Amino acid sequence: MPAVSKGDGMRGLAVFISDIRNCKSKEAEIKRINKELANIRSKFKGDKALDGYSKKKYVCKLLFIFLLGHDIDFGHMEAVNLLSSNKYTEKQIGYLFISVLVNSNSELIRLINNAIKNDLSSRNPTFMCLALHCIANVGSREMAEAFAGEIPRILVAGDTMDSVKQSAALCLLRLYKASPDLVLMGEWTSRVVHLLNDQHMGVVTAAISLITCLSQKNPDEFKTCVSLAVSRLSRIVSSASTDLQDYTYYFVPAPWLSCKLLRLLQCYPPPEDGAVKGRLVECLETILNKAQEPPKSKKVQHSNAKNAILFEAISLIIHYDSEPNLLVRACNQLGQFLQHRETNLRYLALESMCTLASSEFSHEAVKTHIETVINALKTERDVSVRQRAADLLYAMCDRSNAKQIVAEMLSYLETADYSIREEMVLKVAILAEKYAVDYSWYVDTILNLIRIAGDYVSEEVWYRVIQIVINRDDVQGYAAKTVFEALQAPACHENMVKVGGYILGEFGNLIAGDPRSSPLVQFNLLHSKFHLCSVPTRALLLSAYIKFINLFPETKATIQEVLRSDSQIRNSDVELQQRAVEYLKLSSIASTDVLATVLEEMPPFPERESSILAKLKKKKGPGVVPVSELEDGKREGGELNGGGDRGPDSAMSASNASTPSPSADLLGLRSAAPVSAAAPSAGSLLVDVFSESGAGGPAAAVNDDGFLRDLEPPTETSDTLLVEAPGDSDSVPPSAASEDLAPPLPEADELLNKFVCKNNGVLFENQLLQIGIKSEYRQNLGRMYLFYGNKTSVQFASFSTTVSYPGELQSHILTPLPLNVQTKPVEPLVEGGAQVQQVLNIECITDFSEAPQLNIKFRYGGALQNITLKLPVTINKFFQPTEMAATDFFQRWKQLSQPQQEAQKIFKANHGMDTEVLKAKLLGLGTALLENVDPNPENYVCAGVVQTKSQQVGVLLRLEPNAQAQMYRLTLRSSKDTVSKRLCDLLAEQF
């Protein structure tokens, strides 16, 4: 930067700032500022032309006044004029004023852009840097449009000075983050990547920030950076601290650059080139070795720089998850930090070990540190470190240590911080369930959990224990005995009363033989808690009482007296009053057989995802072991038990469904083999996702003339999605199934629109995954084949798909759901270059507007990929074409003349107005194209019937093109207004 001469001191500015500081009050300050503003305004408006020094001084005063919090509404033009000065200080003040005060909508932007262009083409490195800094500081879309093509050229030009290259790289990064669609690297890609080989370390450091950001969005375009990054990292790691003297920080060579290189490599899977991979492994081993060396300085800056590189290296090792030796070494290194005196290091070590615990290679190594982690949980003073210790215990838990870990977590729960108790409760509940071999231990653990932290035990936890007790005959008697004993405590948490009421109401008969727990004793024990409970718990207890009348006829008179009391049948709460009245009447007039039928024991719950697990997913706390590890049961073959999310109270008071046979798979211990296609070889990857021979399994039965020859409405199985009315007592709320789904991709609607008039094609494709679709529909039924292709050479792990229903499709509380979809799970592992297939059977119940959403989740290189698309299932797919004569068409057209029956749009043509293309699209819509019906031969008319299970909706369509104006008028009439509007919206995007 040029030296500032003594004459540039701007004495007037110094005097003004001194005056402001000496003001005794706010009023005095405002008075002095107004006086100065009036003076500056008169100088700018005066006839005498100001010299550059005066302009600079007054612009600086305006900038200072603005920074004090006052509005500035003049002086912008003078600041722009300073940009044309050849003096550095004047140009610098001009750029500074513009960066701070000029917004992107200013009328001066064009003048500013011209001045910036002049400086960028001046080849004066100082002026070029000032211009680049201004572009980055403003960072507006207008700036990006003006300079996004120019800056990459400056960045890669051979004659550009190093300082300018640094500024250009960071300026381009700023513009890319603000307007990624305008910054297109194109031809500059390879030359930008090769900046990693630049001789100047500052250029490399700036360039790698840009390359990392670009790689995250376009990994394929920048994949050549991997080998260059490894090469540069190798040179840094193997160099002595004296080799990179200007970039050595407290004896650590280029720590910032090393961290950025390691972070860049985490954007990609392990290198496929053996030599590059070997060199990278050698670098990582060297970093781990250096961590063991004695420190070269006692300064904290030295250890911080050294550890920053180490933790980034460990993150890369975890990301690759393919080098067992490195993973174990990383785990051992982190283990040493667990007892380090520095709190931050202990925190980071625990957080990293949480991730290592989920790797099959390092899980056992992590388990060796269990005592240290337990000690940290008990003795750490910092709550955030204690939370990470709890997370790590949760992550390292398996069958061999489950009882020890659960006991320690329960012990800690008694004194745990309130902020983490709820999450701790969920984790204890999940571990107790997942690794329960003896279910009496599971029941004891959950009841202990309620006793210790009852206020933090959510409904999901006590629902879950009831579900498991109901699904396992061998634990029901023990559970009844245990809750009976727990309820005898003087102070009993309300959640314990809920669990006790439900279990004794169902299985109290199993302990009634003991005089100490006779029916009346059980009833009196429950009723002694009644007046202390909230309304929902009292409602549950009333349901337990009516169950008692069925189980123990001798208690009938006592319970009827309670139900008949004024406090029940005249209760101010409507729910309690209604239950008391109905239960009293039921017990009075129903015969023993009817009562036994209505109040028989609850059937086992159907298998579904644990509601506790869903709640923990929703919390998404940092350091939590990936939920997929729990679901997959990777280690020890652990399985989640039991089933649904139905509320026990509502289920208890409802009529019971038929009980499945004893051999039914109630707990999901015999999972069905997933439907998948035979994986083709890597060489024939996705050659044709729609070829009849390209996939195995069910696709082999498909042929062109009978695609749906065996299509039947979806059956109600455990694999059927959205087939139960939400009012059913055992149904999962639709939102529960999609709590952790990613929002639909921004281009989801665009992808959906491509399939409105066609049934086959590629729905989605990125650098990792291709999804193809083949589908056909008949009346209100459809079948869709989804083909998932792995485009990489790396295996996809934990591959799963979910169909969910947004908006309107979730809101049908009292009416049948519009769509009924049956699906099967896909193979959880998709090999590199392979393809798997999934079949969806679809039934249209009634008309709908929103398309179902398809969520795909899998792990690639250790990173979770979460993609949500809209399934191309639209209302027009259920069209039945209808041929009509001209008289019939117009007669029906006039009948559908009410305003709500018609939807019309006038819009500009998005595509060419080719006659054959238009006809093909209208036929693809599913309607019949009626020839010689409209008096104007240029117009198109169509007719069809939307077939749903509940009704048939006739639809008439008229499309009037205006070739001269390149416009369309689209009119639809139907017997149902929602169908007209939806079809009109869909079709307007097609032409």
Side-chain angles (χ1 to χ4, degrees):
M1 183 182 291
V4 179
S5 66
K6 288 186 178 179
D8 287 331
M10 293 188 287
R11 184 172 177 278
L13 175 65
V15 170
F16 173 60
I17 293 173
S18 177
D19 289 350
I20 293 294
R21 287 178 176 171
N22 291 330
C23 288
K24 302 296 184 184
S25 65
K26 186 72 175 173
E27 290 75 15
E29 178 184 306
I30 292 172
K31 184 177 179 181
R32 178 68 183 90
I33 286 172
N34 288 337
K35 179 182 175 182
E36 191 63 39
L37 286 173
N39 177 50
I40 296 171
R41 199 185 298 268
S42 67
K43 293 291 184 182
F44 285 167
K45 287 184 177 180
D47 297 332
K48 186 180 176 183
L50 294 174
D51 60 5
Y53 170 79
S54 298
K55 279 185 188 175
K56 177 183 72 171
K57 180 177 67 174
Y58 293 133
V59 167
C60 261
K61 286 183 178 181
L62 290 175
L63 186 56
F64 179 71
I65 292 169
F66 176 77
L67 294 177
L68 288 175
H70 301 273
D71 291 333
I72 299 298
D73 56 1
F74 69 99
H76 299 75
M77 195 64 209
E78 283 70 19
V80 173
N81 290 338
L82 285 175
L83 300 185
S84 58
S85 171
N86 286 324
K87 282 191 174 181
Y88 168 76
T89 53
E90 293 174 11
K91 193 181 287 284
Q92 180 196 35
I93 295 300
Y95 275 126
L96 181 60
F97 185 93
I98 287 162
S99 298
V100 175
L101 270 88
V102 175
N103 63 51
S104 58
N105 299 322
S106 171
E107 297 172 357
L108 300 173
I109 282 291
R110 187 170 297 174
L111 289 172
I112 295 167
N113 285 354
N114 287 335
I116 291 174
K117 282 179 183 175
N118 291 336
D119 283 336
L120 289 179
S121 58
S122 69
R123 311 312 297 167
N124 181 322
T126 306
F127 292 175
M128 292 177 77
C129 285
L130 282 175
L132 290 166
H133 295 166
C134 180
I135 295 169
N137 285 333
V138 176
S140 66
R141 191 168 182 85
E142 290 74 13
M143 289 280 191
E145 288 172 348
F147 301 109
E150 176 71 9
I151 297 172
R153 184 188 61 75
I154 295 171
L155 178 60
V156 301
D159 58 346
T160 304
M161 290 189 66
D162 292 333
S163 60
V164 179
K165 283 186 178 180
Q166 287 177 258
S167 296
L170 296 175
C171 178
L172 199 58
L173 174 61
R174 171 74 174 87
L175 292 182
Y176 183 77
K177 287 182 175 179
S179 307
D181 56 314
L182 296 178
V183 182
L184 305 173
M185 300 309 296
E187 59 185 299
W188 309 112
T189 300
S190 62
R191 296 174 70 180
V192 169
V193 168
H194 276 83
L195 288 173
L196 292 175
N197 276 337
D198 198 277
Q199 296 295 318
H200 194 276
M201 296 286 280
V203 173
V204 179
T205 306
I208 198 169
S209 297
L210 173 64
I211 293 168
T212 301
C213 186
L214 292 168
S215 297
Q216 288 168 347
K217 299 288 178 70
N218 309 293
D220 280 350
E221 288 183 32
F222 291 88
K223 61 185 176 185
T224 53
C225 70
V226 173
S227 58
L228 296 176
V230 171
S231 175
R232 175 63 81 171
L233 180 66
S234 177
R235 277 180 275 164
I236 295 172
V237 168
S238 59
S239 66
S241 58
T242 53
D243 294 348
L244 301 169
Q245 208 154 13
D246 291 343
Y247 289 88
T248 296
Y249 179 79
Y250 288 88
F251 304 101
V252 181
W256 283 275
L257 180 55
S258 300
C259 288
K260 288 186 176 187
L261 287 165
L262 289 163
R263 204 165 292 160
L264 172 61
L265 292 170
Q266 291 175 49
C267 297
Y268 292 92
E272 296 177 9
D273 186 319
V276 175
K277 187 174 182 180
R279 197 171 182 185
L280 178 56
V281 169
E282 189 179 321
C283 288
L284 295 171
E285 287 177 341
T286 305
I287 292 170
L288 292 173
N289 291 337
K290 284 187 175 182
Q292 300 289 340
E293 295 173 2
K296 295 180 181 177
S297 170
K298 292 183 179 179
K299 300 269 188 180
V300 68
Q301 291 93 335
H302 171 74
S303 60
N304 283 348
K306 195 173 169 183
N307 290 331
I309 297 172
L310 175 63
F311 276 103
E312 281 298 339
I314 290 173
S315 295
L316 181 61
I317 292 168
I318 293 170
H319 170 71
Y320 285 166
D321 196 20
S322 59
E323 296 292 328
N325 181 43
L326 287 177
L327 284 162
V328 172
R329 285 197 62 187
C331 181
N332 293 336
Q333 181 62 52
L334 292 171
Q336 294 176 22
F337 287 144
L338 292 180
Q339 295 177 309
H340 199 279
R341 61 187 176 83
E342 178 61 42
T343 305
N344 288 338
L345 275 181
R346 296 197 300 273
Y347 178 93
L348 290 170
L350 288 165
E351 190 173 47
S352 298
M353 288 183 83
C354 279
T355 315
L356 277 173
S358 63
S359 169
E360 59 183 318
F361 301 119
S362 54
H363 182 72
E364 291 301 321
V366 172
K367 281 167 58 180
T368 60
H369 300 284
I370 186 170
E371 296 300 333
T372 309
V373 179
I374 289 171
N375 187 54
L377 187 68
K378 293 176 178 177
T379 60
E380 276 290 348
R381 286 182 295 177
D382 191 308
V383 61
S384 60
V385 181
R386 292 199 297 273
Q387 185 166 5
R388 291 289 84 79
D391 291 340
L392 180 52
L393 283 175
Y394 175 72
M396 69 167 65
C397 187
D398 59 21
R399 287 203 189 282
S400 65
N401 57 20
K403 289 194 175 182
Q404 179 189 3
I405 287 176
V406 168
E408 292 293 348
M409 292 177 83
L410 277 173
S411 173
Y412 171 64
L413 198 53
E414 297 194 39
T415 56
D417 300 83
Y418 296 112
S419 59
I420 64 173
R421 283 195 180 188
E422 185 180 2
E423 191 175 323
M424 288 281 294
V425 165
L426 291 174
K427 288 177 176 177
V428 170
I430 289 171
L431 294 179
E433 176 186 342
K434 179 173 172 59
Y435 299 112
V437 178
D438 176 5
Y439 278 87
S440 59
W441 171 76
Y442 169 74
V443 170
D444 288 339
T445 301
I446 300 300
L447 295 182
N448 209 11
L449 195 62
I450 294 172
R451 181 185 61 78
I452 293 169
D455 289 338
Y456 300 90
V457 175
S458 61
E459 285 189 337
E460 288 83 359
V461 175
W462 71 266
Y463 282 8
R464 195 68 180 150
V465 69
I466 285 171
Q467 290 163 8
I468 289 177
V469 168
I470 285 178
N471 285 15
R472 298 198 65 90
D473 296 341
D474 56 338
V475 80
Q476 290 165 357
Y478 181 81
K481 176 175 176 290
T482 309
V483 294
F484 177 77
E485 291 171 354
L487 286 171
Q488 291 176 342
C492 193
H493 195 275
E494 189 167 336
N495 281 336
M496 186 72 80
V497 178
K498 291 176 182 176
V499 175
Y502 194 102
I503 290 179
L504 291 179
E506 291 291 333
F507 310 114
N509 59 311
L510 299 178
I511 60 170
D514 189 329
R516 292 170 297 180
S517 55
S518 64
L520 273 176
V521 173
Q522 290 183 42
F523 169 73
N524 289 330
L525 180 61
L526 282 177
H527 197 55
S528 67
K529 314 291 182 185
F530 187 89
H531 66 287
L532 300 172
C533 297
S534 63
V535 169
T537 307
R538 292 184 186 188
L540 186 147
L541 288 177
L542 289 178
S543 297
Y545 296 168
I546 191 67
K547 287 266 187 175
F548 268 41
I549 291 177
N550 178 47
L551 290 175
F552 315 116
E554 64 269 29
T555 63
K556 182 175 180 178
T558 306
I559 293 173
Q560 283 183 335
E561 187 178 335
V562 169
L563 295 175
R564 199 178 287 116
S565 65
D566 285 352
S567 60
Q568 303 304 334
I569 61 173
R570 288 188 171 83
N571 197 294
S572 59
D573 185 86
V574 175
E575 174 68 20
L576 292 180
Q577 185 186 108
Q578 183 175 354
R579 288 197 185 210
V581 170
E582 290 179 358
Y583 290 163
L584 179 61
K585 204 69 176 171
L586 179 66
S587 64
S588 302
I589 63 174
S591 66
T592 307
D593 292 341
V594 171
L595 203 60
T597 304
V598 172
L599 302 173
E600 69 176 336
E601 189 178 303
M602 289 297 296
F605 286 74
E607 58 172 284
R608 284 206 185 97
E609 180 192 54
S610 167
S611 53
I612 312 176
L613 202 57
K615 189 174 179 70
L616 187 62
K617 283 186 199 176
K618 189 177 179 182
K619 290 184 75 66
K620 287 188 172 79
V624 176
V625 66
V627 175
S628 58
E629 297 296 332
L630 292 169
E631 293 168 334
D632 296 342
K634 265 181 162 182
R635 300 181 298 273
E636 307 293 335
E639 292 286 349
L640 295 171
N641 303 289
D645 291 348
R646 52 184 171 172
D649 182 30
S650 59
M652 190 178 190
S653 58
S655 298
N656 298 326
S658 59
T659 305
S661 65
S663 62
D665 184 18
L666 301 176
L667 303 184
L669 301 178
R670 303 188 299 275
S671 56
V675 178
S676 66
S681 64
S684 62
L685 169 63
L686 300 179
V687 285
D688 180 8
V689 296
F690 308 115
S691 65
E692 307 307 332
S693 58
V702 178
N703 56 38
D704 289 335
D705 57 340
F707 185 77
L708 297 180
R709 64 184 183 276
D710 59 343
L711 182 60
E712 293 296 334
T715 55
E716 293 192 9
T717 70
S718 62
D719 294 317
T720 301
L721 300 178
L722 212 61
V723 295
E724 300 157 330
D728 292 350
S729 60
D730 62 344
S731 66
V732 183
S735 60
S738 56
E739 281 172 341
D740 60 335
L741 304 185
L745 295 176
E747 62 269 30
D749 285 319
E750 182 183 339
L751 296 172
L752 173 73
N753 287 332
K754 290 180 180 177
F755 285 81
V756 171
C757 295
K758 66 175 185 178
N759 290 333
N760 303 335
V762 175
L763 174 64
F764 171 79
E765 187 169 10
N766 64 8
Q767 68 274 13
L768 305 178
L769 176 71
Q770 184 191 63
I771 303 175
I773 281 187
K774 184 170 185 178
S775 56
E776 193 166 318
Y777 298 83
R778 183 187 67 201
Q779 296 182 352
N780 70 316
L781 304 177
R783 176 170 291 167
M784 180 181 290
Y785 285 83
L786 294 171
F787 302 85
Y788 305 100
N790 182 347
K791 294 174 62 179
T792 72
S793 57
V794 180
Q795 182 190 71
F796 290 168
S798 305
F799 192 92
S800 65
T801 63
T802 308
V803 177
S804 60
Y805 298 85
E808 167 200 19
L809 293 181
Q810 285 189 3
S811 65
H812 290 64
I813 302 302
L814 301 174
T815 59
L817 293 158
L819 278 181
N820 194 357
V821 180
Q822 180 189 30
T823 183
K824 289 287 183 181
V826 291
E827 184 69 39
L829 296 178
V830 184
E831 298 297 334
Q835 184 188 98
V836 296
Q837 173 189 304
Q838 186 176 32
V839 184
L840 275 66
N841 287 342
I842 304 159
E843 183 181 22
C844 181
I845 308 298
T846 183
D847 67 281
F848 59 96
S849 297
E850 291 286 333
Q853 292 179 1
L854 172 68
N855 177 260
I856 305 103
K857 281 205 276 266
F858 59 92
R859 291 195 173 273
Y860 169 73
L864 178 66
Q865 307 292 320
N866 193 347
I867 301 165
T868 300
L869 305 165
K870 292 191 176 182
L871 266 183
V873 181
T874 47
I875 188 65
N876 64 289
K877 299 296 182 186
F878 304 97
F879 256 135
Q880 190 79 14
T882 305
E883 294 292 338
M884 300 177 78
T887 52
D888 295 334
F889 179 90
F890 285 107
Q891 182 183 356
R892 180 63 178 153
W893 184 265
K894 289 175 183 177
Q895 289 172 353
L896 298 170
S897 58
Q898 295 181 20
Q900 68 269 25
Q901 294 177 324
E902 179 182 288
Q904 187 177 83
K905 276 195 177 185
I906 299 173
F907 53 93
K908 197 164 185 65
N910 297 318
H911 312 283
M913 302 179 79
D914 182 85
T915 304
E916 294 305 314
V917 173
L918 288 176
K919 287 183 177 180
K921 285 188 175 180
L922 290 168
L923 288 170
L925 183 68
T927 57
L929 184 60
L930 307 181
E931 301 284 353
N932 304 319
V933 169
D934 198 287
N936 185 345
E938 300 295 325
N939 294 347
Y940 302 87
V941 293
C942 303
V945 177
V946 175
Q947 301 276 352
T948 71
K949 186 176 181 181
S950 59
Q951 66 180 128
Q952 296 182 340
V953 182
V955 178
L956 301 179
L957 178 152
R958 191 179 191 187
L959 181 67
E960 299 166 84
N962 184 334
Q964 186 176 355
Q966 290 289 296
M967 301 282 286
Y968 289 103
R969 180 164 68 182
L970 173 66
T971 311
L972 280 116
R973 291 186 179 181
S974 77
S975 53
K976 195 165 186 183
D977 56 342
T978 52
V979 173
S980 306
K981 185 177 184 310
R982 179 57 179 158
L983 287 172
C984 192
D985 291 340
L986 286 172
L987 273 176
E989 299 294 328
Q990 303 302 310
F991 302 108

